[in-house]
Amino acid sequence: MPTITQLPAHVVSLIAAGEIAERPGSIIKELVENSLDAGATQIEIILEQAGLEKITVADNGRGMRSDDLPLSVLNHATSKIAEAKDLDTIRSFGFRGEALASIAKVSNLTIISRHTDHDTPYTYIHATKETLPSKQGMAVGTVVEIKDLFSRLPARKKFLNKPNSELRYTLDVIAKIALANPTIAFTVHHNNKQVLHFPLHQSLTDRFLQITDWELEKHIIPLEFTNEIVSISGIITHPTYTKTHTHDQWLFINNSPVQHTALHRTVKL
């Protein structure tokens, strides 16, 4: 019989990283949410082979200081909470400090960032653990570049879908985030071709129609409700325009997409 032994720390960290950085779409979701937490109003995603070869996420958020760059890839290193009581007042998308750390374990990661207080951008290369002043200038913000995804975890790579399927999944992820944040601009390029663009300061209605179908405009009803407990806003279609499934139903809580069977059924009814 095999003897029970505790796994080495580096194996445990790879397993955890594979669960968080599951596929290109899940990685992009984490990076885009980091950009939103940094106050970005424009986010650009550049993909090669659906992200299997290269992922770049660039934003115009507040950026990171040079001494924060190497800290950003450490496990449970975060600027979003500091003590237990902060868990009761979370207003950010991510707070555990796991995303960049996990991504760095399963890819070749480079971060270029210019903080709002600095004139000089800095580059952090995870492979060499170097933080250097960047030779090229850039506006305030952050660029995260990921190459050779799952090169250190080939078993995970075997379970990925073909590039077209992974791209569809990623575009769906971005569309949901874009719908929850209609005032933010999102642009996606794939293999040097623009495949998605949501302009800055769109209304919720226009963003919804761009994602679904502009022909739906005559069938939609804006929804607004506020009391002392909750605020609800959104768009529903007129009862004369219905579907038998809930695939085109999107629910968000605090701007985050959620899947909740009971809520979906309630809205459908």
Side-chain angles (χ1 to χ4, degrees), residues 20-93:
I20 295 170
E22 184 181 11
R23 58 197 300 187
S26 64
I27 289 171
I28 291 164
K29 174 182 178 293
E30 297 285 353
L31 296 178
V32 168
E33 288 181 345
N34 277 349
S35 296
L36 292 171
D37 282 341
T41 58
Q42 298 186 49
I43 301 171
E44 183 178 20
I45 299 105
I46 303 170
L47 306 173
E48 293 183 14
Q49 292 301 311
L52 299 175
E53 289 188 7
K54 187 177 178 181
I55 298 169
T56 304
V57 176
D59 68 55
N60 66 342
R62 68 182 67 91
M64 286 186 279
R65 296 181 176 88
S66 58
D67 51 354
D68 282 335
L69 285 170
L71 297 177
S72 70
V73 298
L74 299 180
N75 288 321
H76 309 303
T78 180
S79 62
K80 299 169 186 178
I81 62 172
E83 49 190 345
K85 67 178 183 180
D86 295 337
L87 295 171
D88 295 326
T89 56
I90 291 171
R91 293 292 180 267
S92 60
F93 288 102

